[in-house]
Amino acid sequence: GIQVEQSPPDLILQEGANSTLRCNFSDSVNNLQWFHQNPWGQLINLFYIPSGTKQNGRLSATTVATERYSLLYISSSQTTDSGVYFCAALSATYSGGGADGLTFGKGTHLIIQP
Amino acid sequence: ETGVTQSPTHLIKTRGQQVTLRCSSQSGHNTVSWYQQALGQGPQFIFQYYREEENGRGNFPPRFSGLQFPNYSSELNVNALELDDSALYLCASSLAGGGEQYFGPGTRLTVT
């Protein structure tokens, strides 16, 4: 199945700094999503971005499908941005029986210090 | 628009017991997927339900089973609980066809 790798695994920044999180995937995708998991476990949808570029406030994301990677940018970080960020992908060439689910990376643990 | 809801929030069971977790999909969504998230890991796909039938499954044994109801809500059942089943169980809803998935708050299951 598709492999999803995220980097870096951990990132510690000062408030106000910018950051870039990377997601590499091993196959062409129908779905590529970025999530922020809060301390209570809730996965918050950030972007649905199988290709192209999107922006939402201080966050933006770019997926280069032909090169099989996606980037999540966080500008002017705030302490509330702390948490784990997951990238998840759905293969476009899945050949198993039935539907497939999202394959998640191991996440990037982001800590924003005041 | 109503989001994805799950119940219960927390649950403690004993090894060998059975458990049922519940999920209500987001309004307008007809597909429900279940995921298991062990501590420190990313979520792993268990199975997906569409039109009240399982239409895809990850690498989980048959003691993990489910149901989907006509209103698109869903249940996850786990029989013969093992200690390694302790995890956060997440439900996601979507429109069929690989569209964006929206997750509920999860049920944290502890098996002792």
Side-chain angles (χ1 to χ4, degrees):
Chain A
I2 190 170
Q3 305 296 314
V4 178
E5 294 183 355
Q6 292 186 242
S7 60
D10 301 282
L11 188 57
I12 302 174
L13 298 171
Q14 294 297 123
E15 200 168 23
N18 301 328
S19 57
T20 301
L21 282 58
R22 186 177 180 101
C23 172
N24 293 331
F25 43 93
S26 62
D27 200 358
S28 55
V29 296
N30 281 333
N31 179 347
L32 190 292
Q33 292 186 241
W34 283 97
F35 299 93
H36 178 206
Q37 188 163 43
N38 67 23
W40 299 272
Q42 172 89 55
L43 284 170
I44 309 298
N45 286 43
L46 297 178
F47 294 101
Y48 170 74
I49 188 165
S51 65
T53 298
K54 291 186 177 180
Q55 181 159 5
N56 184 4
R58 295 181 297 105
L59 275 60
S60 63
T62 295
T63 297
V64 183
T66 53
E67 297 187 23
R68 298 183 182 171
Y69 73 88
S70 183
L71 300 174
L72 176 68
Y73 304 98
I74 305 174
S75 64
S76 304
S77 300
Q78 301 175 357
T79 55
T80 52
D81 294 331
S82 296
V84 182
Y85 289 79
F86 286 105
C87 166
L90 182 65
S91 173
T93 60
Y94 176 68
S95 59
D100 196 12
L102 290 170
T103 297
F104 283 75
K106 293 185 177 181
T108 292
H109 187 194
L110 177 64
I111 297 174
I112 305 298
Q113 296 178 332
Chain B
E1 183 177 272
T2 306
V4 180
T5 61
Q6 292 186 244
S7 63
T9 305
H10 295 88
L11 202 53
I12 300 174
K13 289 287 189 177
T14 302
R15 189 172 49 184
Q17 286 187 318
Q18 178 267 341
V19 68
T20 297
L21 310 182
R22 295 177 175 82
C23 170
S24 291
S25 63
Q26 182 166 311
S27 176
H29 286 179
N30 56 15
T31 302
V32 173
S33 303
W34 286 92
Y35 294 81
Q36 179 196 66
Q37 185 177 19
L39 200 61
Q41 303 295 317
Q44 285 196 295
F45 174 62
I46 303 175
F47 47 54
Q48 183 180 98
Y49 275 81
Y50 172 67
R51 291 185 175 176
E52 301 178 48
E53 293 200 0
E54 181 183 304
N55 75 332
R57 190 174 188 96
N59 188 26
F60 280 81
R63 59 188 185 85
F64 285 78
S65 64
L67 288 171
Q68 187 181 31
F69 302 99
N71 66 354
Y72 307 128
S73 65
S74 176
E75 288 182 353
L76 164 65
N77 299 292
V78 187
N79 292 322
L81 283 166
E82 300 176 0
L83 296 179
D84 285 349
D85 296 334
S86 295
L88 179 67
Y89 288 85
L90 295 162
C91 160
S93 76
S94 61
L95 292 173
E100 186 173 6
Q101 295 190 20
Y102 294 83
F103 283 77
T107 294
R108 195 167 297 278
L109 173 65
T110 302
V111 182
T112 62

